[in-house]
Amino acid sequence: METLEARIKRVLQEEVSIAPYNPAWPRMFAEEKRRLLNCLPPELIKRIEHFGSTAIPNLAAKPIVDMLVEVTSLEETKQRIAPLLEAQGYDYFWRPTHGNDGPPFYAWFIKRDSDGKRTHHIHLVESDFEHWERLLFRDYLIEHPDVAKDYEALKLRLAHDYSNDREAYTNGKTEFVMRVTQAAKEYYRGIGSKDGVKI
């Protein structure tokens, strides 16, 4: 039986590869959203959003659809949703938002195809989690293609440098993501809120 530590190490060492934009990604999101809404307890699920690079038209990305799911209770998610999705073959991790072991924790699932390749990352969080700010980052890049191209260049360089170190790849993007998220907050501040995110 594989230990949790061994599982984490294994998934962090899986290859990082960037693919050209695939117009099928929005469809893959929509199909998985329908599937989740059909199989998960409806009283626990609120909104489901497509975020990350596959949600940004014409942006090269890891070919993995990121989904952000609002749940009413993470405790209930652990007890009721995690066993359900694990039984269907999803990898499940109770994951820290920052670092290696600090709260707040959230539920994270990896869906794979029949060849074992990742197709979806599904992040289940409550409404007050900072993950929702990633929608501002997504929308800002959609509206600013020049910034999206800068992000693409950074990701291609990091994927080349850290092809088997997902943690280093992610850490290498942090400063850019934080800076652009701050710019997005200022850009959208006049609206007061966007996509349910308080600004």
Side-chain angles (χ1 to χ4, degrees), residues 49-61:
E49 294 276 355
H50 186 188
F51 77 116
S53 295
T54 60
I56 301 163
N58 304 313
L59 184 65

Side-chain angles (χ1 to χ4, degrees), residues 96 110 136 145:
I110 300 172
L136 300 177

Side-chain angles (χ1 to χ4, degrees), residues 19-179:
Y21 178 75
N22 185 342
W25 288 336
R27 176 180 52 75
M28 290 171 62
F29 163 75
E31 288 171 355
E32 183 66 9
K33 177 179 178 178
R34 266 194 308 276
R35 225 190 63 71
L36 292 174
L37 289 172
N38 285 333
C39 78
L40 299 182
E43 67 276 13
L44 292 182
I45 304 299
K46 308 257 311 191
R47 59 188 164 146
I48 301 178
E49 294 276 355
H50 186 188
F51 77 116
S53 295
T54 60
I56 301 163
N58 304 313
L59 184 65
K62 295 195 304 295
I64 304 163
V65 173
D66 275 300
M67 302 180 66
L68 192 56
V69 180
E70 181 182 345
V71 293
T72 56
S73 165
L74 279 167
E75 278 307 310
E76 287 287 305
T77 295
K78 278 200 286 188
Q79 294 168 25
R80 298 172 60 195
I81 292 178
L84 226 168
L85 291 181
E86 279 190 295
Q88 296 176 38
Y90 293 70
D91 293 335
Y92 164 58
F93 298 89
W94 185 239
R95 184 176 180 179
T97 298
H98 301 287
N100 296 319
D101 55 10
F105 292 89
Y106 68 98
W108 185 58
F109 297 88
I110 300 172
K111 183 178 184 178
R112 300 177 186 271
D113 64 17
S114 57
D115 296 324
K117 291 182 180 171
R118 301 183 190 208
T119 59
H120 298 74
H121 287 167
I122 303 168
H123 310 245
L124 278 69
V125 299
E126 293 174 355
S127 63
D128 59 345
F129 272 55
E130 67 186 55
H131 296 66
W132 296 103
E133 291 185 354
R134 297 179 195 182
L135 301 184
L136 300 177
F137 180 79
R138 174 199 69 188
D139 292 349
Y140 190 84
L141 262 59
I142 290 171
E143 292 187 45
H144 296 83
D146 54 329
V147 181
K149 283 298 168 193
D150 290 343
Y151 187 46
E152 179 177 89
L154 172 64
K155 291 191 304 166
L156 288 167
R157 181 172 57 75
L158 290 169
H160 176 269
D161 293 347
Y162 304 109
S163 61
N164 290 102
D165 188 343
R166 284 178 174 263
E167 194 168 13
Y169 169 83
T170 300
N171 289 342
K173 297 188 300 179
T174 300
E175 189 277 330
F176 183 96
V177 171
M178 288 176 64
R179 177 167 47 81

Side-chain angles (χ1 to χ4, degrees), residues 6-16 118 163-167:
R7 284 176 67 220
I8 291 170
K9 185 176 180 182
R10 173 172 53 79
V11 300
L12 287 176
Q13 290 177 340
E14 289 178 5
E15 184 183 7
V16 177
R118 301 183 190 208
S163 61
N164 290 102
D165 188 343
R166 284 178 174 263
E167 194 168 13

